[in-house]
Amino acid sequence: MTLKQSLGVIGAPIAHSLSPLLHEFIIRQYDLPFTYSAYHVEKESLAEAVYGAQALGFRGLNVTVPYKKDVMSLLDEIDEFALKVGAVNTILFSEGRITGYNTDVFGFLHSLAVENVSLSDRDVVLLGAGGAARAIVLAAKKGGARSVMIYNRTYEKAAALAEKMGCVAVSQDYFTAIPDHAVIINTTSVGMHPNVNASPLPQTLFRADCLYIDIVYNPQNTLFLQYATHAGAQTVGGIGMLILQGILAMEIWSGKSIDLQQNFGALQDLLRRALGAQ
Ligand SMILES: NC(=O)c1ccc[n+]([C@@H]2O[C@H](COP(=O)([O-])OP(=O)(O)OC[C@H]3O[C@@H](n4cnc5c(N)ncnc54)[C@H](OP(=O)(O)O)[C@@H]3O)[C@@H](O)[C@H]2O)c1
């Protein structure tokens, strides 16, 4: 009998995480020698949790809110890309070493490719300057965006992120000056369950010529996306990014290449059903 190695996700809160469902599906599909569970970890126990998982022979961990930054000081090595983002969402335990990666950037870019959407030569307006925003700024740059403007409720955070990433922080006044065919990306948690009746932009600002992307995936059809659809604009939701960052993490842990085309549709249905049932 093959001994199964443990994988898991650590965060707080973690009870509603879709990661176990997503990863158990991939583990079954590819007959991988892993099990995957969610672990609620308090801030003061983060180091114990990571080193404990290593001591117990875990293969890896996903790291989610609020520890993607904090966990970095506990690792032996950090992948160049995760260093650029300044956040780790995937940990690999291998040969006595702990290595951190960030799969959010490529998860986001792959999710746009699946939807046949490109950021190349487009003006991007990013709403939010939290942990996820850092990955999306880098993705926008990698994806060939012409310009990246960052708006955040707390202006100082937008200014700090813009300075670090070589973009521009803007105030609310910019909303009436957004260029034609811009891409507006919501990376804030506004509209996320249970506060589903909130949008990071007022309805009057939505336009048919822009593309609206929301990385919030619970609910699937956020008020932000509903306003965009109502304005006649194209939209992309957050489930694709969630799936693809997970697949990329599983590739790191298993060393196997996982077929996106073959699994994306089934995973999308699975997660949509689970979200519908929440
Ligand atoms: N699809 C995916 O795979 C994926 C991956 C990562 C994250 N996400 C989603 O992305 C969202 C953000 O995650 P995160 O890790 O970046 O969170 P975070 O670090 O806590 O950042 C939250 C951001 O939202 C802003 N914000 C929060 N409440 C607000 C309000 N009432 N009005 C205006 N702005 C508000 C914050 O602004 P201030 O700076 O002013 O507080 C900050 O910019 C979450 O919903 C998460 O589920 C999705």
Side-chain angles (χ1 to χ4, degrees), residues 76-211:
D76 297 312
E77 271 169 73
I78 298 175
D79 165 72
E80 185 193 337
F81 215 59
L83 269 181
K84 268 196 198 152
V85 178
V88 159
N89 76 334
T90 302
I91 289 174
L92 172 73
F93 299 106
S94 176
E95 296 173 3
R97 295 186 68 74
I98 314 179
T99 309
Y101 299 87
N102 188 306
T103 65
D104 281 337
V105 179
F106 281 103
F108 177 74
L109 285 174
H110 280 311
S111 77
L112 299 189
V114 167
E115 302 278 351
N116 265 324
V117 161
S118 165
L119 300 181
S120 178
D121 284 330
R122 310 251 334 229
D123 296 302
V124 170
V125 182
L126 205 90
L127 308 176
R134 305 166 75 92
I136 305 300
V137 173
L138 203 61
K141 296 203 141 203
K142 275 214 128 3
R146 179 168 37 212
S147 69
V148 181
M149 305 288 172
I150 306 176
Y151 168 78
N152 191 46
R153 175 178 63 175
T154 312
Y155 178 81
E156 294 69 34
K157 284 199 207 162
L161 181 60
E163 192 185 344
K164 184 174 185 303
M165 302 299 221
C167 356
V168 178
V170 293
S171 69
Q172 260 180 354
D173 296 345
Y174 181 73
F175 290 153
T176 49
I178 291 174
D180 290 346
H181 310 294
V183 181
I184 326 283
I185 309 176
N186 176 37
T187 75
T188 76
S189 43
V190 179
M192 188 173 85
H193 179 83
N195 303 311
V196 297
N197 292 319
S199 162
L201 274 188
Q203 186 166 14
T204 47
L205 290 175
F206 284 79
R207 299 170 6 193
D209 64 295
C210 292
L211 162 69

Side-chain angles (χ1 to χ4, degrees), residues 4-19:
K4 292 192 174 178
Q5 261 188 310
S6 298
L7 297 170
V9 56
I10 54 172
I14 203 71
H16 295 291
S17 172
L18 294 176
S19 293

